[in-house]
Amino acid sequence: MRLTESTLSKIDEAILVGIQRGDEAVYKTLFTEYYPVLTTFALKYVSEIDTAKEVVQEVFIKLYRKRESLTIQQSLKAYLFKAVYRTCLNVIDQENRRSRHYQEATLHQSDTEYTDCLEEAEATQRIYRAIEQLPEQCQRIFTMNRFEGLSNQAIADQLNISKRTVETQISKALKLLRKALFLLTVYFLLGSNFF
Amino acid sequence: MKQNNSLDPTLLIRYLEAKEQLSPNERAEVIQWIQQSPENQQEWEQLKELWEKSGQASHITQVDEESDWYKVWQKMQTPTDPASVRKIPQSYRWVWQVAAAVALLITTIWGVQQFNSSKPTQSARYSYVAQDSLLLVNLPDGSQAYLNEGSELSYNEGFGSQTRTVQLVGEGYFEVVSNATIPFFVHADSTTVRVVGTSFNVKQDGQEIKVTVNSGKVAFSHHQDTLLLDPDEVGIYQPGLQLQELKNSDSNYLSWKTGTLRFDDTLFPQVVRDIARHYKVTVQIDNQALRDLQLTSTFQHQSLATVLEEIAIVLDINYTYQDKHITFFYN
């Protein structure tokens, strides 16, 4: 493995040593940390969630197999996102392999589009994590609406509570999410440098 | 400015969920609150963003990093190079057997947990059937699909947030809102149409599937075979054949949606085919000489009787109409 830039953070360097050694704990930490956000990111390019998951798994398996000859520029995070992006393009290309319009049909993004997709995936992941932190009842009602697509009336009927209670809980959920995500932006910007 | 009139928070939630269901007074109350101060404006925008983006996070419930980690680690340990397979000394075999048994147990527990936890979040499927009239389906991302009679369109919950995938049976015309980050997929039988933002028609006719592009570019695929279609090009799938790309010669392919039949020096056999398709009738031409006639005329939302009458007068021919069957003939 070769580190090409000195901009790698100390944490990245420590992790890279673990990667090179094939340390199971390091791989597990990386995988659990990045699997959901990378899957979200892969879904920008492929349509099926199972395909997206397979792409990300393949990236990790390749990382492990190539660990000794690996070159990482920038950061580990940048490496993983780029690898997922390339693998997605391969999947699309394979689908288009016999096409007479091979060149045009291949999806290549500008740097800005790529960065937008990456940031969107990260934002989605942050919201998901924040939803997981909501108080139990509040979380349940909020996810019934936002994840399962139930109307507030349907939630009220199912939980045998008033529609107004449902609306109050959703309002509470949004306020807590806003507190966690918008009013702590500085914290998240700092935090994102670590990986 | 600091003195904000407070707003019932549940009203804001009802506004987010379905503002069209509020009374004009309630809507005005919300809008007034938003416009009351820059702080309110900012709060509203953040709440709205959270509301929309949280819907996009639903697929993460289907990502189980714990149980998938186990699968991935197993694969990492599977050597790709046969030379690197090491022989395990006989005396340590039991260690591996115990480890395998433990692993199996853990997988089972994870499996059960995953099964249980996936139940409440099982996603719904929405289906629209155009029974005996056209149906306009407003998709959650703002795209529109017009379904021809007897056609069916379905999509899974979460459409528009992380994916834009619909399943079509029959015929549909799509106007797809542009979104470079989430491509739009139409699955019709074993074919797939992939677009970013455009309008196009997909028609399933028996086993044949025809995609006609109105604007933009679409990729039409069947397994590994892909056509990239431009406006006024048609992609045709027929079982067992390569996809075919043709120029669109059918100027009335959207008549089912627009209600308009336009003929411009069109040869009579083509006129007859378009009429038969549009009015769902069968047509017969009794005299070979009729085949050389040409028609220039536009019919907008006309009854079949009116259309037949006009054609008869303009071309100076006769017809009979009985049991959904038309016969044209010379006097």
Side-chain angles (χ1 to χ4, degrees):
Chain A
M1 174 163 23
R2 196 158 53 88
L3 308 182
T4 54
E5 280 184 29
S6 57
T7 51
L8 285 172
S9 71
K10 288 271 177 252
I11 293 176
D12 267 0
E13 281 179 34
I15 292 172
L16 284 172
V17 172
I19 289 177
Q20 199 172 21
R21 280 205 206 115
D23 185 331
E24 180 179 354
V26 167
Y27 278 90
K28 184 174 179 180
T29 310
L30 272 183
F31 184 80
T32 41
E33 173 73 22
Y34 280 109
Y35 187 43
V37 69
L38 290 173
T39 303
T40 306
F41 178 66
L43 275 174
K44 306 275 180 205
Y45 308 100
V46 298
S47 72
E48 302 294 330
I49 178 125
D50 287 338
T51 315
K53 289 202 252 186
E54 279 160 24
V55 163
V56 180
Q57 291 172 16
E58 190 186 323
V59 163
F60 276 95
I61 292 165
K62 274 199 181 146
L63 174 74
Y64 182 86
R65 289 189 177 148
K66 295 194 314 189
R67 64 188 183 275
E68 280 161 21
S69 60
L70 201 69
T71 302
I72 297 214
Q73 302 172 336
Q74 298 170 23
S75 67
L76 206 50
K77 175 183 142 182
Y79 169 86
L80 290 171
F81 275 94
K82 208 69 194 191
V84 167
Y85 172 66
R86 292 213 182 94
T87 312
C88 284
L89 290 193
N90 283 344
V91 169
I92 297 170
D93 275 356
Q94 270 163 28
E95 283 170 7
N96 295 343
R97 199 169 32 197
R98 278 178 43 220
S99 155
R100 280 140 280 174
H101 296 280
Y102 181 83
Q103 287 301 323
E104 296 99 311
T106 306
L107 174 85
H108 281 290
Q109 285 190 315
S110 70
D111 285 351
T112 340
E113 283 171 319
Y114 173 80
T115 312
D116 285 350
C117 285
L118 192 158
E119 281 170 3
E120 246 177 69
E122 287 189 311
T124 307
Q125 172 75 358
R126 280 201 293 275
I127 289 179
Y128 186 79
R129 292 247 158 103
I131 292 171
E132 284 183 317
Q133 301 301 314
L134 291 174
E136 198 185 326
Q137 175 79 344
C138 186
Q139 183 186 62
R140 184 162 177 220
I141 290 171
F142 188 71
T143 55
M144 281 171 92
N145 181 310
R146 301 315 294 140
F147 291 179
E148 294 168 49
L150 294 173
S151 70
N152 291 341
Q153 188 58 58
I155 298 169
D157 293 345
Q158 205 169 321
L159 299 180
N160 208 10
I161 52 179
S162 74
K163 184 165 170 267
R164 201 181 157 82
T165 307
V166 172
E167 287 159 0
T168 310
Q169 289 290 331
I170 289 177
S171 169
K172 184 178 158 192
L174 282 180
K175 290 216 165 99
L176 288 170
L177 290 177
R178 178 167 172 256
K179 213 168 171 183
L181 293 168
F182 285 108
L183 309 180
L184 290 175
T185 314
V186 177
Y187 166 80
F188 278 108
L189 286 177
L190 289 175
S192 67
N193 282 338
F194 283 99
F195 276 94
Chain B
M1 272 304 213
K2 290 269 176 236
Q3 186 75 42
N4 276 341
N5 286 334
S6 62
L7 180 78
D8 176 0
T10 64
L11 181 58
L12 204 59
I13 298 304
R14 283 190 287 137
Y15 186 86
L16 280 169
E17 197 188 29
K19 64 178 165 208
E20 64 283 355
Q21 284 174 19
L22 298 185
S23 71
N25 278 345
E26 287 174 316
R27 268 193 302 240
E29 202 183 326
V30 174
I31 290 162
Q32 206 184 350
W33 174 83
I34 294 170
Q35 292 173 344
Q36 203 163 45
S37 67
E39 290 81 12
N40 287 7
Q41 176 90 34
Q42 193 194 30
E43 181 177 347
W44 161 249
E45 271 158 19
Q46 292 176 340
L47 292 176
K48 192 160 154 263
E49 189 183 336
L50 286 167
W51 175 258
E52 284 160 3
K53 292 225 168 122
S54 56
Q56 298 171 12
S58 67
H59 68 276
I60 303 180
T61 57
Q62 296 172 50
V63 179
D64 186 340
E65 56 267 37
E66 292 289 332
S67 72
D68 283 353
W69 161 247
Y70 184 74
K71 276 198 308 198
V72 168
W73 181 245
Q74 290 292 306
K75 281 189 192 155
M76 284 172 172
Q77 300 311 300
T78 313
T80 43
D81 175 10
S84 67
V85 179
R86 278 177 301 148
K87 238 186 150 170
I88 302 158
Q90 195 70 39
S91 56
Y92 289 119
R93 281 252 165 105
W94 67 273
V95 177
W96 290 96
Q97 278 161 5
V98 171
V102 171
L104 185 66
L105 185 65
I106 292 170
T107 340
T108 314
I109 293 168
W110 265 325
V112 169
Q113 278 176 347
Q114 198 185 10
F115 178 72
N116 286 337
S117 67
S118 70
K119 256 188 183 165
T121 55
Q122 205 165 51
S123 67
R125 190 161 175 81
Y126 298 89
S127 255
Y128 295 86
V129 181
Q131 258 158 358
D132 39 20
S133 59
L134 297 191
L135 183 66
L136 169 62
V137 181
N138 284 304
L139 294 163
D141 68 332
S143 298
Q144 294 188 316
Y146 297 82
L147 297 183
N148 202 348
E149 286 175 43
S151 304
E152 183 178 348
L153 184 80
S154 51
Y155 58 87
N156 281 333
E157 149 126 55
F159 175 97
S161 48
Q162 70 272 26
T163 59
R164 299 196 293 169
T165 305
V166 297
Q167 194 83 38
L168 175 76
V169 180
E171 180 167 25
Y173 175 77
F174 295 86
E175 284 177 1
V176 174
V177 169
S178 174
N179 181 341
T181 58
I182 313 179
F184 192 102
F185 295 89
V186 180
H187 293 286
D189 200 2
S190 55
T191 66
T192 303
V193 181
R194 179 181 189 281
V195 301
V196 175
T198 162
S199 57
F200 58 95
N201 192 65
V202 180
K203 179 175 183 165
Q204 194 173 13
D205 194 354
Q207 292 202 297
E208 180 184 283
I209 290 162
K210 210 184 243 185
V211 177
T212 312
V213 180
N214 186 43
S215 69
K217 255 179 205 283
V218 316
F220 178 43
S221 322
H222 175 254
H223 300 308
Q224 312 288 309
D225 198 7
T226 298
L227 291 179
L228 196 78
L229 301 171
D230 286 314
D232 263 328
E233 287 181 345
V234 192
I236 298 171
Y237 161 79
Q238 285 167 319
L241 296 178
Q242 269 211 320
L243 295 177
Q244 293 175 63
E245 180 183 321
L246 300 171
K247 271 270 159 236
N248 180 30
S249 57
D250 182 355
S251 55
N252 287 318
Y253 75 102
L254 280 181
S255 72
W256 66 269
K257 174 187 161 275
T258 60
T260 302
L261 283 170
R262 194 182 307 267
F263 301 107
D264 189 11
D265 285 336
T266 312
L267 282 168
F268 198 57
Q270 181 64 50
V271 172
V272 159
R273 271 194 292 272
D274 290 357
I275 288 174
R277 178 178 60 192
H278 188 80
Y279 292 101
K280 300 188 177 58
V281 292
T282 50
V283 185
Q284 186 184 337
I285 303 176
D286 242 16
N287 189 316
Q288 282 300 316
L290 284 173
R291 294 181 179 276
D292 300 326
L293 293 176
Q294 291 183 352
L295 180 72
T296 300
S297 190
T298 300
F299 302 101
Q300 280 178 306
H301 298 284
Q302 300 293 335
S303 69
L304 177 58
T306 315
V307 173
L308 292 177
E309 225 18 75
E310 186 169 332
I311 290 176
I313 292 165
V314 171
L315 299 178
D316 195 22
I317 57 177
N318 258 332
Y319 67 93
T320 59
Y321 176 49
Q322 209 174 5
D323 299 330
K324 302 218 126 211
H325 184 76
I326 302 161
T327 310
F328 285 103
F329 56 91
Y330 269 126
N331 292 328

